[in-house]
Amino acid sequence: MTVRLSTGLRTLLAGSTGFAAALEKGVIEIYTGAQPASADAAVTGTLLGTVTLNSGAFTPGSPTNGLTFAAAAAGVVSKTGVWSFNGIAAGTAGWFRFKGNAVDTGALSTTLPRMDGSVATSGGDLNLSNITIAVAAPNTIDDFTWTQPAQ
């Protein structure tokens, strides 16, 4: 289990854009299998669902139903609103990709802001109450927090 940041996200973090701003109004995609070696790499596995605000329809480039964050405090930012998805395929969740609000087909990119990590019921980078995803079944992300390291 390792969180991996894309070159595009690391570039934004090193510049004047923070984590929340880089991924604000984006989405989280949940996939089967093992996460790629890099968040720059193309996606692998089967897309099981796309996490949006209240499971709403999402169009890249539009803020409607994109994921939102509370104001940062003490180096920490957390989700706001209900982050959820309905399964679009059946399978076992293995990893996720958090994508910013831009057109991102999942192909190789060193410029798009992305974060990949593992999915589990506990001890994952993103924990779900059930990693067995069924078609049309609702799923909720109860907690999402990013802590910027002090060193």
Side-chain angles (χ1 to χ4, degrees):
M1 139 182 92
T2 302
V3 169
R4 296 183 177 118
L5 307 181
S6 68
T7 303
L9 180 56
R10 291 184 299 116
T11 299
L12 290 171
L13 292 174
S16 60
T17 305
F19 178 86
L23 296 174
E24 179 82 11
K25 301 294 185 178
V27 296
I28 297 174
E29 295 177 338
I30 309 289
Y31 290 91
T32 61
Q35 72 188 85
S38 161
D40 292 337
V43 296
T44 58
T46 299
L47 177 63
L48 299 175
T50 301
V51 180
T52 62
L53 198 60
N54 297 311
S55 300
F58 176 78
T59 301
S62 168
T64 304
N65 298 318
L67 302 174
T68 57
F69 294 96
V76 179
V77 66
S78 299
K79 75 175 197 73
T80 59
V82 177
W83 291 17
S84 58
F85 71 100
N86 294 313
I88 60 170
T92 302
W95 70 282
F96 73 90
R97 174 163 284 171
F98 197 151
K99 304 185 325 181
N101 187 345
V103 175
D104 182 346
T105 63
L108 173 72
S109 174
T110 58
T111 59
L112 291 168
R114 301 170 168 170
M115 180 177 74
D116 292 356
S118 64
V119 175
T121 54
S122 68
D125 300 314
L126 180 68
N127 295 317
L128 299 175
S129 60
N130 184 357
I131 60 171
T132 303
I133 307 303
V135 174
N139 299 273
T140 303
I141 308 300
D142 295 323
D143 182 52
F144 186 92
T145 302
W146 173 261
T147 303
Q148 189 64 38
Q151 296 182 12

